[in-house]
Amino acid sequence: MVTRTTIGVLALQGGVREHLVALDLCGVSAVPVKTVEQLDLIQGLILPGGESTTIIKLASQYELVEPIKERIRSGFPVFGSCAGMILLADHIEAGTADQETFGGLDAVVQRNAFGRQTESFETPLRLDNDMAPFPGVFIRAPLVMSVGSGVNVISTIEGGAYAGRVVGIEQENLMATAFHPELTPDLRVHHRFVKMVNESQW
Amino acid sequence: MSSEMSTGTSRVKRGMAEMLKGGVIMDVVTPDQAKIAEDAGAVAVMALERVPADIRAEGGVSRMSDPDMIDGIIAAVSIPVMAKARIGHFAEAQILQSLGVDYIDESEVLTPADYSHHIDKWKFTVPFVCGATNLGEALRRLTEGAAMIRSKGEAGTGDVSNAVTHMRRIRDEVTRLASLPADELFVAAKELQAPYDLVAEVARTGSLPTVLFTAGGIATPADAAMMMQLGADGVFVGSGIFKSGNPAERAHAIVQATTHFDNPDVVAKVSRGLGEAMVGINVADIPVHHRLEDRGW
């Protein structure tokens, strides 16, 4: 029997629906996840955009932090966009006092790195070695300040004041973008994560 | 695609609202209250000089807050900060944009500055949220450039009934539109007093093209859970938190009830031991000319 891949989207707060739609368009089964029990039903997890301080507080109140950390350590595939990137970073700058993360990505990520909402922007990105640029949507977005040696850069900003800055990274079972692929019709980033999930042991 | 950075696009304005979904936006009047809201898990704060309950009690003309006070709140928290401008008062909105607020609420809670025209919101880089009592009003605000809609309630009362009425009305009107044959959408647009293209889009997708929050009179975790079950994407809480006996606890409880709105066990648990809710005023006891729902056109 062939079972269909099921990927969860952490549904405590934020842009959950857009990720569910994108996963559905990629041909996998997509479910919102709010409880520990639901983690057992999925082969991969997306941490959506939203307010990182709110999401981590709710995750901690409902005892999701340790189980998610545990899975991350054991090779469970997780993709985070925007706030999700902050939640996956081992180190954050400009967080609230003692702001916790799930961690796992050996990177330093700065919160709200481009400024306030009036500085939110769209710009073309380089994604791997694709010829076609990826439409980057940055909303009060974070930025990767530095990465460890085990981290692959998968996306950078093409031009303008931030040309060459790192906005997408990957490390073994983890993937993160400072931008919101779920707010665009371009599914390349989601396909990439689905592939990661399908190739993993989960 | 050019390699320019484009700010103020519809996608980043509406996208910002998408990222607030499932969250609670809390009215605050001081940096200390803003910190309490952030610590409780608010997704954003609304900086204002007086909460609606006090505006109601004190009367007089209610305006945009003092820039010093907004600066103080922006400096105090890392989450987004919203602020209110009077309906039609584009100069107040220009000031708020220059202060760097993340969202402007063109709000009926303040005294309107223009009884015919709302602000032309397309002219701004900062996004706007506007109130609506029905679908036509929501679509007119979107036509003017709003990037987020909230159903109107009777702010400052702790009485949730108007928020319920307006959320149900918007939802029912969307459902009705989606059921109409294409050749009836022209008259529907006329009746809704909204542009045909937008009406046809709602009919095709079966939903508003932006996020729809609820506001006005939400005072308890149960109120928040009810509004979310009625289809709200998130919740504004005004006087309900800082006019209650234990603001930090109540704020925290409303955040949890908004996330777990479909789980009565959680809502029951967080509803315990919150102390006094805000005293409240029944909407029916407010003279018609003091009601906020009729502000906005």
Side-chain angles (χ1 to χ4, degrees), chain A residues 12-14 18 34 50-51 54 57-58 61-62 96 111-112 116-118 120-124 139-140 183, chain B residues 2 4 6-7 9 11-12 16 18-21 38-39 41-43 78 80 100 102 252 256 259 266:
Chain A
L12 299 173
Q13 191 274 318
E18 292 75 12
K34 286 188 188 179
E51 190 44 54
T54 302
K57 278 184 190 112
L58 287 162
Q61 276 149 23
Y62 291 89
T96 54
R111 233 176 123 217
N112 300 336
R116 307 194 66 83
Q117 171 61 13
T118 48
S120 292
F121 62 99
E122 296 186 55
T123 201
I139 297 173
R140 284 177 52 99
L183 292 180
Chain B
S2 81
E4 275 170 32
S6 325
T7 55
T9 62
R11 198 179 257 167
V12 298
M16 168 80 198
E18 302 288 352
M19 297 310 140
L20 299 170
K21 280 185 304 204
E38 181 176 50
D39 291 344
V43 289
S78 69
D102 296 293
H252 199 210
Q256 294 181 62
T259 292
V266 171

Side-chain angles (χ1 to χ4, degrees), chain B residues 23-26 213-214 218 224 227-228 232-237 254 258:
Chain B
V24 182
I25 300 165
M26 302 182 190
F213 268 50
T214 184
I218 289 121
M227 296 312 300
M228 292 296 287
D233 288 316
V235 178
F236 283 88
V237 185
I254 292 177
T258 301

